[in-house]
Amino acid sequence: MFTSVLMIEKALTSADVEFVTTLHGDEAVSFYVLLQPRGDQADRLLRAIDDIALGELDEAVREGETPEGEEALTTGQRALEVSLTALRASGHEAVGRLIDEHPLDALKTLVEEIGADEVIVLTDPHYVEEFFHRDWASRARHKVGVPVLKLFSHSKA
């Protein structure tokens, strides 16, 4: 069985689930999902710049409404449950947990513990972080010792 660690920041959409579950054709895949809610991973200014770069001015104005702290964890737990349910419904094994800080340390530890074959980072675009190679995928490539695939979420969750 192929083992993938899937790093996400929000609930997977049906398009996201189909995308990640078909990457390896008919091969059985077991997913270990790590979710860090978006409200805890980047400050509001960077998120607003990303929104502007995508032409989503209304979203940039609403960045102050993004859940932070305990509220982000509650929202994140629901997003994790939805994502795990969707992956299991597609016929794959899936377990996961929330990450409240240091996502790359948690990722490295998990990859080593389970002997993961790959890491898939599936997020909305984060242009500022990606430009400076500070996004999860860029940093993970130097840390985890397995292939890291960067994918963009198909749509808003």
Side-chain angles (χ1 to χ4, degrees):
M1 180 169 296
F2 200 83
T3 305
S4 293
V5 176
L6 180 59
M7 289 190 69
I8 60 176
E9 62 188 358
K10 64 181 184 178
L12 296 175
T13 64
S14 58
D16 294 333
V17 171
E18 182 178 353
F19 194 38
V20 298
T21 58
T22 58
L23 286 172
H24 298 289
D26 293 334
E27 187 170 0
V29 180
S30 176
F31 290 97
Y32 287 79
V33 180
L34 296 177
L35 185 142
Q36 183 181 39
R38 181 174 173 163
D40 286 347
Q41 83 180 9
D43 67 77
R44 290 179 183 157
L45 176 61
L46 290 177
R47 293 192 314 256
I49 292 170
D50 286 338
D51 291 335
I52 292 168
L54 290 168
E56 298 175 352
L57 299 179
D58 291 340
E59 290 295 321
V61 172
R62 287 195 291 272
E63 281 301 336
E65 300 169 10
T66 300
E68 303 276 341
E70 190 62 39
E71 185 181 350
L73 292 177
T74 301
T75 302
Q77 187 61 45
R78 284 193 304 268
L80 179 61
E81 291 167 9
V82 165
S83 300
L84 293 175
T85 299
L87 288 167
R88 291 175 189 141
S90 71
H92 296 274
E93 293 180 13
V95 296
R97 64 182 170 96
L98 287 181
I99 308 168
D100 53 358
E101 51 186 61
H102 308 297
L104 294 174
D105 292 339
L107 174 64
K108 182 177 188 219
T109 300
L110 180 61
V111 166
E112 291 170 355
E113 284 176 4
I114 65 172
D117 297 302
E118 71 178 355
V119 171
I120 301 170
V121 176
L122 183 103
T123 65
D124 286 336
H126 298 292
Y127 293 116
V128 174
E129 290 97 335
E130 289 164 17
F131 180 79
F132 291 106
H133 303 285
R134 301 301 303 154
D135 60 298
W136 284 343
S138 296
R139 293 178 5 207
R141 286 185 181 108
H142 302 288
K143 194 165 189 150
V144 298
V146 297
V148 177
L149 179 61
K150 169 66 176 158
L151 302 174
F152 291 120
S153 184
H154 279 77
S155 61
K156 299 280 182 190

